[in-house]
Amino acid sequence: ALGVTDDFFAAGGDSLAAARVFAGVAERFQVDAPLTTLLEAPTVQELAFWLRARGCIVVHRPLVVLNPGQGSSDPFESLQPVDSSSPPPLFFAPGAGADAFMLHELGKGFSAHQPVIGLSYPGLDGKSRFKQRVGSLAKHFEPHVRAVQRHGPYFFAGSSFGGMVVLELARRL
């Protein structure tokens, strides 16, 4: 059993356990939160704050913090625009059909000072429209990346299909 302040992942949580947790959250609170919520709120306490802050109305979030950078421990404040004193974030796109939730371990592999942000494809939540074309996805992510980092240089990485998405995104930016 997890305590209120125990980290879901440190306690051995995986994607199957996360699906069970969120099935319970959906049933109990009548909200469908994406699994990526656990990356931002990995404790019961943080998840409760997250749900309360959104009034239990959840929408697709195109950018998911995998590592907030600068040693920050507050994931709710981590998608603020970067300033010149911090390193530019690494934006990472998963392969086709994968969600940013699958990138959790990747984010932990970086220095505490390096922000890492996963791109979360629309449509994987079963509610929003799924975009299949590389150009449509790059266009979808462009304003969100600019909101975090107004000017380059930009750092992108991607796995398989995600590599094509970030290549087009880099071209656009």
Side-chain angles (χ1 to χ4, degrees):
L2 281 176
V4 176
T5 59
D6 292 335
D7 185 284
F8 175 80
F9 298 104
D14 58 20
S15 59
L16 291 175
R20 285 192 298 271
V21 166
F22 276 81
V25 167
E27 183 179 323
R28 174 76 169 96
F29 298 104
Q30 304 301 306
V31 61
D32 289 322
L35 291 180
T36 54
T37 304
L38 276 177
L39 300 177
E40 298 178 10
T43 69
V44 172
Q45 183 178 44
E46 290 172 330
L47 183 57
F49 177 78
W50 191 94
L51 289 167
R52 192 174 330 127
R54 285 155 183 80
C56 290
I57 297 171
V58 181
V59 296
H60 168 72
R61 300 207 39 213
L63 303 181
V64 178
V65 176
L66 302 172
N67 183 1
Q70 295 301 316
S72 171
S73 61
D74 186 354
F76 305 107
E77 297 299 325
S78 54
L79 278 180
Q80 302 301 315
V82 296
D83 59 34
S84 59
S85 66
S86 62
L90 169 65
F91 295 94
F92 195 96
D99 193 80
F101 182 80
M102 306 306 281
L103 303 173
H104 173 69
E105 290 298 317
L106 173 80
K108 292 189 332 187
F110 284 86
S111 153
H113 297 287
Q114 176 61 55
V116 181
I117 299 171
L119 304 181
S120 182
Y121 299 125
L124 295 179
D125 58 5
K127 292 181 175 42
S128 52
R129 186 170 166 259
F130 185 71
K131 297 176 195 266
Q132 297 178 340
R133 297 180 185 260
V134 169
S136 297
L137 287 166
K139 183 178 179 181
H140 171 76
F141 289 122
E142 183 180 359
H144 301 287
V145 169
R146 283 193 192 276
V148 172
Q149 184 182 349
R150 193 145 191 74
H151 302 287
Y154 296 98
F155 295 108
F156 295 108
S159 172
S160 190
F161 176 77
M164 294 189 304
V165 171
V166 294
L167 181 62
E168 175 61 18
L169 183 54
R171 189 191 69 74
R172 288 173 158 275
L173 293 167

